[in-house]
mmCIF file of all heavy atoms in Angstrom:
data_model
loop_
_atom_site.group_PDB
_atom_site.id
_atom_site.type_symbol
_atom_site.label_atom_id
_atom_site.label_comp_id
_atom_site.label_asym_id
_atom_site.label_seq_id
_atom_site.Cartn_x
_atom_site.Cartn_y
_atom_site.Cartn_z
ATOM 1 N N PHE K 301 -9.661 -10.874 1.261
ATOM 2 C CA PHE K 301 -8.451 -11.107 2.045
ATOM 3 C C PHE K 301 -8.738 -11.148 3.539
ATOM 4 O O PHE K 301 -8.134 -11.931 4.265
ATOM 5 C CB PHE K 301 -7.400 -10.065 1.673
ATOM 6 C CG PHE K 301 -7.119 -10.078 0.205
ATOM 7 C CD1 PHE K 301 -7.610 -9.071 -0.623
ATOM 8 C CD2 PHE K 301 -6.429 -11.129 -0.370
ATOM 9 C CE1 PHE K 301 -7.400 -9.118 -1.983
ATOM 10 C CE2 PHE K 301 -6.211 -11.181 -1.738
ATOM 11 C CZ PHE K 301 -6.694 -10.172 -2.550
ATOM 12 N N GLU K 302 -9.679 -10.341 4.004
ATOM 13 C CA GLU K 302 -10.117 -10.462 5.393
ATOM 14 C C GLU K 302 -10.739 -11.830 5.639
ATOM 15 O O GLU K 302 -10.575 -12.425 6.711
ATOM 16 C CB GLU K 302 -11.127 -9.357 5.717
ATOM 17 C CG GLU K 302 -10.516 -7.962 5.740
ATOM 18 C CD GLU K 302 -11.578 -6.877 5.813
ATOM 19 O OE1 GLU K 302 -12.712 -7.198 6.218
ATOM 20 O OE2 GLU K 302 -11.273 -5.724 5.466
ATOM 21 N N ALA K 303 -11.453 -12.341 4.632
ATOM 22 C CA ALA K 303 -12.123 -13.634 4.769
ATOM 23 C C ALA K 303 -11.144 -14.802 4.898
ATOM 24 O O ALA K 303 -11.528 -15.886 5.341
ATOM 25 C CB ALA K 303 -13.055 -13.858 3.579
ATOM 26 N N GLU K 304 -9.884 -14.589 4.552
ATOM 27 C CA GLU K 304 -8.887 -15.648 4.668
ATOM 28 C C GLU K 304 -8.518 -15.953 6.120
ATOM 29 O O GLU K 304 -7.939 -16.994 6.419
ATOM 30 C CB GLU K 304 -7.622 -15.290 3.886
ATOM 31 C CG GLU K 304 -7.807 -15.230 2.385
ATOM 32 C CD GLU K 304 -7.987 -16.610 1.773
ATOM 33 O OE1 GLU K 304 -7.725 -17.616 2.469
ATOM 34 O OE2 GLU K 304 -8.393 -16.674 0.602
ATOM 35 N N GLY K 305 -8.787 -15.020 7.028
ATOM 36 C CA GLY K 305 -8.590 -15.292 8.443
ATOM 37 C C GLY K 305 -7.228 -14.884 8.980
ATOM 38 O O GLY K 305 -6.370 -14.335 8.277
ATOM 39 N N LEU K 306 -7.022 -15.190 10.271
ATOM 40 C CA LEU K 306 -5.854 -14.703 10.999
ATOM 41 C C LEU K 306 -4.547 -15.284 10.484
ATOM 42 O O LEU K 306 -3.552 -14.567 10.365
ATOM 43 C CB LEU K 306 -6.017 -14.997 12.494
ATOM 44 C CG LEU K 306 -4.880 -14.516 13.404
ATOM 45 C CD1 LEU K 306 -4.666 -13.019 13.276
ATOM 46 C CD2 LEU K 306 -5.171 -14.897 14.859
ATOM 47 N N GLY K 307 -4.515 -16.566 10.188
ATOM 48 C CA GLY K 307 -3.262 -17.173 9.723
ATOM 49 C C GLY K 307 -2.732 -16.506 8.471
ATOM 50 O O GLY K 307 -1.523 -16.267 8.344
ATOM 51 N N PHE K 308 -3.625 -16.193 7.554
ATOM 52 C CA PHE K 308 -3.240 -15.503 6.320
ATOM 53 C C PHE K 308 -2.671 -14.132 6.632
ATOM 54 O O PHE K 308 -1.615 -13.737 6.116
ATOM 55 C CB PHE K 308 -4.463 -15.390 5.410
ATOM 56 C CG PHE K 308 -4.202 -14.775 4.069
ATOM 57 C CD1 PHE K 308 -3.764 -15.545 3.010
ATOM 58 C CD2 PHE K 308 -4.419 -13.416 3.853
ATOM 59 C CE1 PHE K 308 -3.541 -14.977 1.757
ATOM 60 C CE2 PHE K 308 -4.193 -12.845 2.619
ATOM 61 C CZ PHE K 308 -3.759 -13.620 1.568
ATOM 62 N N GLN K 309 -3.357 -13.383 7.516
ATOM 63 C CA GLN K 309 -2.892 -12.041 7.866
ATOM 64 C C GLN K 309 -1.550 -12.083 8.599
ATOM 65 O O GLN K 309 -0.729 -11.170 8.454
ATOM 66 C CB GLN K 309 -3.945 -11.327 8.716
ATOM 67 C CG GLN K 309 -5.251 -11.045 7.982
ATOM 68 C CD GLN K 309 -5.112 -9.984 6.910
ATOM 69 O OE1 GLN K 309 -4.303 -9.075 7.023
ATOM 70 N NE2 GLN K 309 -5.918 -10.100 5.862
ATOM 71 N N GLN K 310 -1.304 -13.127 9.361
ATOM 72 C CA GLN K 310 0.000 -13.261 10.031
ATOM 73 C C GLN K 310 1.111 -13.480 9.019
ATOM 74 O O GLN K 310 2.225 -12.944 9.182
ATOM 75 C CB GLN K 310 -0.058 -14.407 11.038
ATOM 76 C CG GLN K 310 -0.885 -14.081 12.271
ATOM 77 C CD GLN K 310 -1.128 -15.283 13.164
ATOM 78 O OE1 GLN K 310 -1.167 -16.428 12.700
ATOM 79 N NE2 GLN K 310 -1.287 -15.033 14.459
ATOM 80 N N LEU K 311 0.831 -14.249 7.963
ATOM 81 C CA LEU K 311 1.818 -14.408 6.896
ATOM 82 C C LEU K 311 2.100 -13.074 6.217
ATOM 83 O O LEU K 311 3.252 -12.749 5.912
ATOM 84 C CB LEU K 311 1.325 -15.431 5.865
ATOM 85 C CG LEU K 311 1.300 -16.890 6.288
ATOM 86 C CD1 LEU K 311 0.607 -17.737 5.217
ATOM 87 C CD2 LEU K 311 2.714 -17.413 6.534
ATOM 88 N N VAL K 312 1.052 -12.293 5.983
ATOM 89 C CA VAL K 312 1.207 -10.977 5.369
ATOM 90 C C VAL K 312 2.068 -10.071 6.254
ATOM 91 O O VAL K 312 3.001 -9.412 5.776
ATOM 92 C CB VAL K 312 -0.173 -10.335 5.122
ATOM 93 C CG1 VAL K 312 -0.024 -8.866 4.710
ATOM 94 C CG2 VAL K 312 -0.934 -11.104 4.051
ATOM 95 N N ALA K 313 1.771 -10.069 7.559
ATOM 96 C CA ALA K 313 2.534 -9.221 8.481
ATOM 97 C C ALA K 313 4.006 -9.606 8.493
ATOM 98 O O ALA K 313 4.890 -8.734 8.485
ATOM 99 C CB ALA K 313 1.947 -9.322 9.889
ATOM 100 N N GLY K 314 4.289 -10.894 8.502
ATOM 101 C CA GLY K 314 5.674 -11.344 8.470
ATOM 102 C C GLY K 314 6.380 -10.938 7.189
ATOM 103 O O GLY K 314 7.566 -10.567 7.206
ATOM 104 N N ALA K 315 5.662 -10.996 6.076
ATOM 105 C CA ALA K 315 6.251 -10.585 4.800
ATOM 106 C C ALA K 315 6.585 -9.101 4.796
ATOM 107 O O ALA K 315 7.652 -8.690 4.302
ATOM 108 C CB ALA K 315 5.281 -10.910 3.663
ATOM 109 N N TYR K 316 5.701 -8.293 5.359
ATOM 110 C CA TYR K 316 5.993 -6.858 5.450
ATOM 111 C C TYR K 316 7.237 -6.589 6.296
ATOM 112 O O TYR K 316 8.059 -5.723 5.955
ATOM 113 C CB TYR K 316 4.806 -6.119 6.061
ATOM 114 C CG TYR K 316 3.723 -5.724 5.095
ATOM 115 C CD1 TYR K 316 2.386 -6.009 5.371
ATOM 116 C CD2 TYR K 316 4.008 -5.034 3.918
ATOM 117 C CE1 TYR K 316 1.371 -5.623 4.502
ATOM 118 C CE2 TYR K 316 3.006 -4.661 3.044
ATOM 119 C CZ TYR K 316 1.695 -4.955 3.348
ATOM 120 O OH TYR K 316 0.694 -4.567 2.480
ATOM 121 N N GLU K 317 7.363 -7.300 7.394
ATOM 122 C CA GLU K 317 8.544 -7.105 8.240
ATOM 123 C C GLU K 317 9.815 -7.472 7.482
ATOM 124 O O GLU K 317 10.853 -6.808 7.624
ATOM 125 C CB GLU K 317 8.423 -7.932 9.521
ATOM 126 C CG GLU K 317 7.316 -7.487 10.453
ATOM 127 C CD GLU K 317 7.507 -6.079 10.979
ATOM 128 O OE1 GLU K 317 8.669 -5.650 11.133
ATOM 129 O OE2 GLU K 317 6.494 -5.393 11.242
ATOM 130 N N ASP K 318 9.747 -8.497 6.671
ATOM 131 C CA ASP K 318 10.905 -8.900 5.871
ATOM 132 C C ASP K 318 11.255 -7.828 4.846
ATOM 133 O O ASP K 318 12.432 -7.499 4.640
ATOM 134 C CB ASP K 318 10.617 -10.228 5.169
ATOM 135 C CG ASP K 318 11.829 -10.751 4.421
ATOM 136 O OD1 ASP K 318 12.897 -10.919 5.056
ATOM 137 O OD2 ASP K 318 11.730 -10.993 3.206
ATOM 138 N N ILE K 319 10.240 -7.247 4.207
ATOM 139 C CA ILE K 319 10.486 -6.155 3.256
ATOM 140 C C ILE K 319 11.151 -4.976 3.959
ATOM 141 O O ILE K 319 12.108 -4.380 3.445
ATOM 142 C CB ILE K 319 9.170 -5.714 2.591
ATOM 143 C CG1 ILE K 319 8.613 -6.829 1.714
ATOM 144 C CG2 ILE K 319 9.380 -4.447 1.766
ATOM 145 C CD1 ILE K 319 7.184 -6.589 1.244
#
Side-chain angles (χ1 to χ4, degrees):
F301 304 105
E302 292 170 20
E304 293 288 347
L306 181 58
F308 183 86
Q309 295 290 329
Q310 288 171 331
L311 289 172
V312 170
Y316 275 131
E317 293 297 329
D318 185 56
I319 294 168

